[in-house]
């Protein structure tokens, strides 16, 4: 099933420098700081290489990767391990970005894609200006925050659109859990934990394959999936 995986996201920690300023952030109110240990990340990278993985790798789910002092080391290690067989996509709130940093991320590690999340119009305007200043090698995207904190309790949505979770983006949380998707921020649907199982053993579990097969056919049986607006409505964009 590794061929089905397009994106692997490592949540390096439950730390975001702006989480306490934005109530829409799933890390809002988190008090105890936790990390995914470097040893575990390295182990998983080697396992992915053994599985001949050739997709995209990110070091973020809800954490702010640029606030993590290990980011450059992990980017460098990954690039040395995979060469140009994988791509990087850096999701960030943009707080630590400027043109020099963007250039450095490309020059040192070939980070060709950056996605900046925005919580309000002011942040959106800043991010758009920053990405416009980038060179042609950078594929920059802007992502506006939604109401995913309320998805678990929201009304069910009639949506028969296919979804390719959990293989489209393989989520590895800071505690080692492999979960359904990034919208399952409470990680209610856990398929395994990398501290007790190999990644290969987790992704070939019948229950994970079954969820994937149902979702790609448009069958949304899980609670969070029945309330997920992706595919049913277009994401809101700022004017």
């Amino acid at each position: 099933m590794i061929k089905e995986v397009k994106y692997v996201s490592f949540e390096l920690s439950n730390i975001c420098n702006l989480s306490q300023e934005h109530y829409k952030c799933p890390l809002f109110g988190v008090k105890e700081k936790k990390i995914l240990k470097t040893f575990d990340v390295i182990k998983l990278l080697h396992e992915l290489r053994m599985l001949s993985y050739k997709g995209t790798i990110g070091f973020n789910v809800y954490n702010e990767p640029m606030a993590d002092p290990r980011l450059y080391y992990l980017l460098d290690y990954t690039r040395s391990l995979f060469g140009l067989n994988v791509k990087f996509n850096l999701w960030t709130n943009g707080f630590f970005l400027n043109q020099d940093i963007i250039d450095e991320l490309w020059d040192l590690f070939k980070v060709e894609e950056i996605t900046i999340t925005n919580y309000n119009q002011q942040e959106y305007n800043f991010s758009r200006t920053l990405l416009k200043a980038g060179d042609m090698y950078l594929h920059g995207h802007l992502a506006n925050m939604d109401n995913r904190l309320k998805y678990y309790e929201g009304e069910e949505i009639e949506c028969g659109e296919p979804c390719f979770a959990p293989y489209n983006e393989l989520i590895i949380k800071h505690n080692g859990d492999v979960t359904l998707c990034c919208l399952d921020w409470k990680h209610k649907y856990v398929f395994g934990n990398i501290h007790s199982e190999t990644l290969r053993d987790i992704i070939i579990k019948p229950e994970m394959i079954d969820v994937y097969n149902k979702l790609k056919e448009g069958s949304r049986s899980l609670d969070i999936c029945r309330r997920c607006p992706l595919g049913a409505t277009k994401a809101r964009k700022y004017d």
Side-chain angles (χ1 to χ4, degrees), residues 120-173:
N120 55 51
Q121 185 68 48
Q122 183 179 4
E123 291 182 7
Y124 175 84
N125 292 338
F126 169 75
S127 301
R128 184 171 59 177
T129 301
L130 183 63
L131 291 180
K132 279 187 175 181
D135 293 330
M136 293 303 294
Y137 59 76
L138 172 67
H139 301 287
H141 304 279
L142 302 176
N144 300 316
M145 299 310 296
D146 49 40
N147 291 319
R148 65 185 59 187
L149 298 191
K150 299 180 180 180
Y151 284 178
Y152 294 97
E153 293 79 30
E155 294 184 4
E156 293 188 8
I157 300 171
E158 293 185 8
C159 177
E161 294 293 328
C163 174
F164 297 94
Y167 291 108
N168 192 55
E169 181 181 8
L170 192 63
I171 301 290
I172 302 160
K173 300 289 287 184

Side-chain angles (χ1 to χ4, degrees), residues 12-52:
L12 295 182
S13 71
N14 65 346
I15 302 168
C16 175
N17 59 303
L18 296 182
S19 62
Q20 303 311 305
E21 297 183 25
H22 296 300
Y23 68 91
K24 285 187 177 183
C25 177
L27 295 182
F28 181 79
V30 170
K31 296 180 180 179
E32 184 180 0
K33 298 179 180 179
K34 298 180 180 179
I35 68 166
L36 181 63
K37 293 182 179 180
T38 306
F39 172 82
D40 293 318
V41 179
I42 297 298
K43 180 181 69 173
L44 289 173
L45 288 172
H46 277 273
E47 187 175 355
L48 287 169
R49 185 172 181 271
M50 289 180 62
L51 293 171
S52 300

Side-chain angles (χ1 to χ4, degrees), residues 61-77:
V61 179
Y62 287 116
N63 59 301
E64 171 50 51
M66 299 200 67
D68 195 308
R70 303 171 294 168
L71 178 63
Y72 273 31
Y73 169 75
L74 291 172
L75 289 171
D76 184 58
Y77 193 95

Side-chain angles (χ1 to χ4, degrees), residues 156-164 183 211 214-232:
E156 293 188 8
I157 300 171
E158 293 185 8
C159 177
E161 294 293 328
C163 174
F164 297 94
L183 295 181
V211 168
K214 287 180 178 178
L215 283 173
K216 75 176 183 179
E217 297 299 327
S219 175
R220 303 194 174 208
S221 59
L222 302 179
D223 286 344
I224 186 67
C225 300
R226 292 198 300 270
R227 292 166 172 79
C228 176
L230 298 185

Side-chain angles (χ1 to χ4, degrees), residues 105-119:
L105 287 168
W106 168 257
D107 293 337
L108 294 178
F109 316 114
K110 297 297 182 286
V111 176
E112 61 272 87
E113 193 164 0
I114 295 178
T115 302
I116 303 179
T117 56
N118 302 274
Y119 290 80

